[in-house]
Amino acid sequence: MGSTTYTQKREEQADFSMIFFFSETTFLVPKDLGIKTLEDLNGKRVGAARATTNLKAVEDLAKEGKFKPKDIIVTETHPQGMLALKSGKIEAYSTDRSLLEGLRMKDQNPNNWMTVPFAIAYEPYAYICREGQSDFRDFINNTIIWSIKTGKFFELYDKWMGPTGVVPIPMSEAYNNYLQMMVYPISDEWWKQ
Amino acid sequence: MIEIKNVNKWFGEFQVLTDINETIERGQTVVICGPSGSGKSTLLRCINGLEPYQKGQILVDGVSLSDPKTNLYKLRENIGMVFQRFELYPHMTALQNITLAPMKVRKLSKDKARKKAMELLQRVGIPDKADSYPANLSGGQQQRVAIARSLAMEPKYMMFDEPTSALDPEMIKEVLDVMIDLAKEGMTMLCVTHEMGFAREVADEIIFMDFGKIVERGTYEGFFKNPKSERAKEFLKQIL
Amino acid sequence: MGFAYDFDWGVLWRQPYGIWLLQGLWLTIKIGFVAWIVAFFLGVLVGTLRVTPWRWLRFISTAYTEIFRNIPFLVQLFFWYYAGPMIFGESLGRQINQIVGLNFYVAILALGLYTASRVAEHMRAGFASISRDQYQAVLSTGMTQYQMYRYVIIPYALRIIIPPLTTEFLTIFKNSSVAMTIGVAELTFMSYRIDAETFHGLEATTGAMVIYLILGLTVVRAMGIIEARFKIPGMIGRE
Ligand SMILES: Nc1ncnc2c1ncn2[C@@H]1O[C@H](COP(=O)(O)OP(=O)(O)OP(=O)(O)O)[C@@H](O)[C@H]1O
Ligand SMILES: [Mg+2]
């Protein structure tokens, strides 16, 4: 079990828990390139990791003609994407904003890079479980809801992605609202059943 | 003329040749014999520069082999060599074996080289084997192709290193006949062989080597019939 | 059902997935073929230099062989792709990194260089199996070292090592799948891509396996024809 992007195709082969996080597919670019909009990426070489929904989003966008990259370069891992960016093989690397911010912070010069202010796709995150085991899925869902209700979820979010966390990603209002709306009354000792 | 003066050679610590002196005049046939390991093959390989020697001097037509300015490749064109195990090129036909060096070294045209090769095959008695591969020839036929291959370069000297010792008895004669003809036509020859019949027919001089030294030398009558040294007597007893 | 996976072989015919596999195959063939040409000629050259009388050429070719055959190919590929352009300095390196399709060219080159070291080793074994007298027989006709290798020894040695060379040629197609890790969309890459898109990885992988098998058998057949054409008459086991 691991967290992964919820897609319909994947749903056909496995079961997903409730969605507990949203990530944006966007780009990490050199700051001095001044990229503000998707059109600014026309004629640029963009990269993404193999077998990610981010790559799919970039490819689909290019196929639909929404932007015209010079080349789409596939890397094996995110650090390799960063390496490709730094060595000038690509001008923009795409994955989830959270991961891109992580890559940026780990670089020697985090200020040379920026994530662009737009996103090309939104990805719901959920836990993936084996198909047809609904008891297990219920258990996971209840755990998520319980942690939101007790505030544990927000504590953890702050620890990792709060302003002083490892990868600061501000929690948007929409996301916060979504979390609150998901919670239904749940007894503190639900797992005893 | 080949002049060998006081030649000494070592393989590491081991001395293979000790104070070898010998002169081979044009047109002469010299037979070298001696027990296994006595240095006969090594001496032949020194004469065409396939092996270096450490002391002394070898002159071929007045040109020293140990002189760094000497072009050994050029020199070898004049000295043909025939090996115990034929050493034909197995992926080439008899004809290709013979024409290769004339075409590549002498830059002969393919037609000229072929014509010459056919003449040589005629001369060694197997013109019908021109397109056969070595594996499809008998040992005697292979050795005759090897002789033709050497002759194709029109050498002034021919060296034979036990050319018949890998052959069945019935094939030995066909090779020796070719060699005898060559000698009678005036080729200068240096032959390592224990074939007494050949020595009797054409040898001008017989050299007996043992432990890297020339122990005895003489004519056929002198050596084979009346050997002087004990080693030669022993050796002859074994091969006869 | 007891088997939590629904097979859907139709994924292999459905578009664009079927086309993807064929596109991947085409790239695999291109990489393998061109890399093999590089590997063959470079391998013969390096293998020959290892036995020549010139000491420093021997040293260089031995160093080449040992370096390239002792480092895993995956590592070499990463090195050439990410560090390779830096060898040429800052500005030229940047220009190299601009080349469209760089990963494809690097894959060919890296695979060629790696396989060349293996071909060189087979060459050396081939040379070693030729007797000393055979070499001397060639030289005794007045041919130079170059002529000896060019016209007799190399053609002879190559014929001896056709069977191991066939194996290397097969291996080059299999190793080309490693190019996936630098984003070359060859056959394995495509089967993984189908997996990522459809979650039908087993079908895609099976499809790729069958294609590799057919490709391999074709190579074996082709090399068999070459072997029959070039075999040394009379050599044991070749009739
Ligand atoms: N390349 C070499 N390195 C070291 N020792 C060698 C080499 N070639 C020959 N020898 C040794 O030198 C000695 C003479 O060898 P050579 O082949 O000249 O003898 P030979 O008289 O031709 O013997 P045979 O009748 O067996 O052919 C032998 O003891 C042999 O082992
Ligand atoms: Mg000998």
Side-chain angles (χ1 to χ4, degrees), chain B residues 83 106 109 154 168 174 202 210 223 232 238:
Chain B
F83 294 77
R106 290 270 155 79
S109 73
E154 300 178 330
D168 293 339
E174 63 191 44
V202 292
D210 195 22
F223 178 71
Q238 275 170 19

mmCIF file of all heavy atoms in Angstrom, chain B residues 83 106 109 154 168 174 202 210 223 232 238:
data_model
loop_
_atom_site.group_PDB
_atom_site.id
_atom_site.type_symbol
_atom_site.label_atom_id
_atom_site.label_comp_id
_atom_site.label_asym_id
_atom_site.label_seq_id
_atom_site.Cartn_x
_atom_site.Cartn_y
_atom_site.Cartn_z
ATOM 1 N N PHE B 83 57.064 -25.020 -43.392
ATOM 2 C CA PHE B 83 56.939 -25.451 -41.999
ATOM 3 C C PHE B 83 56.521 -26.912 -41.888
ATOM 4 O O PHE B 83 55.901 -27.470 -42.803
ATOM 5 C CB PHE B 83 55.908 -24.578 -41.279
ATOM 6 C CG PHE B 83 56.331 -23.147 -41.138
ATOM 7 C CD1 PHE B 83 56.271 -22.270 -42.214
ATOM 8 C CD2 PHE B 83 56.818 -22.667 -39.929
ATOM 9 C CE1 PHE B 83 56.675 -20.953 -42.088
ATOM 10 C CE2 PHE B 83 57.218 -21.351 -39.800
ATOM 11 C CZ PHE B 83 57.145 -20.490 -40.882
ATOM 12 N N ARG B 106 54.100 -7.776 -53.602
ATOM 13 C CA ARG B 106 54.694 -7.398 -54.888
ATOM 14 C C ARG B 106 53.746 -6.582 -55.742
ATOM 15 O O ARG B 106 54.107 -6.129 -56.818
ATOM 16 C CB ARG B 106 55.100 -8.666 -55.663
ATOM 17 C CG ARG B 106 56.257 -9.407 -55.075
ATOM 18 C CD ARG B 106 57.594 -8.909 -55.634
ATOM 19 N NE ARG B 106 58.689 -9.163 -54.726
ATOM 20 C CZ ARG B 106 59.291 -10.331 -54.580
ATOM 21 N NH1 ARG B 106 58.917 -11.363 -55.286
ATOM 22 N NH2 ARG B 106 60.283 -10.455 -53.723
ATOM 23 N N SER B 109 49.143 -7.947 -60.355
ATOM 24 C CA SER B 109 47.710 -7.957 -60.655
ATOM 25 C C SER B 109 47.175 -9.352 -60.372
ATOM 26 O O SER B 109 47.911 -10.336 -60.350
ATOM 27 C CB SER B 109 47.470 -7.601 -62.113
ATOM 28 O OG SER B 109 47.867 -8.689 -62.926
ATOM 29 N N GLU B 154 59.290 -15.765 -55.499
ATOM 30 C CA GLU B 154 60.574 -15.895 -56.209
ATOM 31 C C GLU B 154 61.761 -15.657 -55.296
ATOM 32 O O GLU B 154 62.596 -14.775 -55.540
ATOM 33 C CB GLU B 154 60.609 -14.937 -57.404
ATOM 34 C CG GLU B 154 59.487 -15.231 -58.380
ATOM 35 C CD GLU B 154 59.451 -14.281 -59.559
ATOM 36 O OE1 GLU B 154 59.871 -13.112 -59.393
ATOM 37 O OE2 GLU B 154 59.016 -14.705 -60.639
ATOM 38 N N ASP B 168 52.446 -38.933 -43.645
ATOM 39 C CA ASP B 168 52.450 -40.391 -43.729
ATOM 40 C C ASP B 168 53.532 -40.805 -44.722
ATOM 41 O O ASP B 168 53.810 -40.069 -45.677
ATOM 42 C CB ASP B 168 51.088 -40.897 -44.222
ATOM 43 C CG ASP B 168 49.996 -40.622 -43.206
ATOM 44 O OD1 ASP B 168 50.353 -40.421 -42.018
ATOM 45 O OD2 ASP B 168 48.821 -40.582 -43.593
ATOM 46 N N GLU B 174 56.467 -37.650 -52.416
ATOM 47 C CA GLU B 174 55.977 -36.617 -53.339
ATOM 48 C C GLU B 174 56.502 -35.237 -52.959
ATOM 49 O O GLU B 174 56.742 -34.398 -53.816
ATOM 50 C CB GLU B 174 54.443 -36.639 -53.430
ATOM 51 C CG GLU B 174 53.721 -36.322 -52.133
ATOM 52 C CD GLU B 174 52.220 -36.607 -52.203
ATOM 53 O OE1 GLU B 174 51.831 -37.673 -52.735
ATOM 54 O OE2 GLU B 174 51.444 -35.764 -51.731
ATOM 55 N N VAL B 202 71.058 -34.675 -52.789
ATOM 56 C CA VAL B 202 71.331 -33.262 -53.109
ATOM 57 C C VAL B 202 72.180 -32.489 -52.113
ATOM 58 O O VAL B 202 72.595 -31.361 -52.415
ATOM 59 C CB VAL B 202 70.008 -32.474 -53.312
ATOM 60 C CG1 VAL B 202 69.300 -32.933 -54.573
ATOM 61 C CG2 VAL B 202 69.125 -32.571 -52.080
ATOM 62 N N ASP B 210 73.656 -30.192 -31.730
ATOM 63 C CA ASP B 210 73.268 -30.774 -30.447
ATOM 64 C C ASP B 210 73.446 -29.714 -29.369
ATOM 65 O O ASP B 210 74.468 -29.024 -29.332
ATOM 66 C CB ASP B 210 74.126 -32.007 -30.156
ATOM 67 C CG ASP B 210 73.520 -32.834 -29.030
ATOM 68 O OD1 ASP B 210 72.295 -32.701 -28.791
ATOM 69 O OD2 ASP B 210 74.263 -33.607 -28.409
ATOM 70 N N PHE B 223 79.346 -37.813 -43.121
ATOM 71 C CA PHE B 223 78.558 -37.762 -41.895
ATOM 72 C C PHE B 223 77.749 -39.036 -41.664
ATOM 73 O O PHE B 223 77.887 -39.695 -40.641
ATOM 74 C CB PHE B 223 77.637 -36.546 -41.904
ATOM 75 C CG PHE B 223 76.767 -36.479 -40.677
ATOM 76 C CD1 PHE B 223 77.323 -36.166 -39.438
ATOM 77 C CD2 PHE B 223 75.411 -36.777 -40.745
ATOM 78 C CE1 PHE B 223 76.535 -36.130 -38.300
ATOM 79 C CE2 PHE B 223 74.620 -36.751 -39.605
ATOM 80 C CZ PHE B 223 75.186 -36.422 -38.384
ATOM 81 N N ALA B 232 76.731 -37.924 -32.462
ATOM 82 C CA ALA B 232 76.232 -38.145 -33.820
ATOM 83 C C ALA B 232 75.985 -39.635 -34.044
ATOM 84 O O ALA B 232 74.963 -40.020 -34.624
ATOM 85 C CB ALA B 232 77.228 -37.603 -34.847
ATOM 86 N N GLN B 238 69.571 -43.950 -33.674
ATOM 87 C CA GLN B 238 68.141 -43.811 -33.369
ATOM 88 C C GLN B 238 67.283 -43.605 -34.612
ATOM 89 O O GLN B 238 66.174 -44.121 -34.689
ATOM 90 C CB GLN B 238 67.925 -42.630 -32.416
ATOM 91 C CG GLN B 238 68.108 -43.017 -30.965
ATOM 92 C CD GLN B 238 68.132 -41.807 -30.053
ATOM 93 O OE1 GLN B 238 67.674 -40.740 -30.430
ATOM 94 N NE2 GLN B 238 68.679 -41.987 -28.869
#
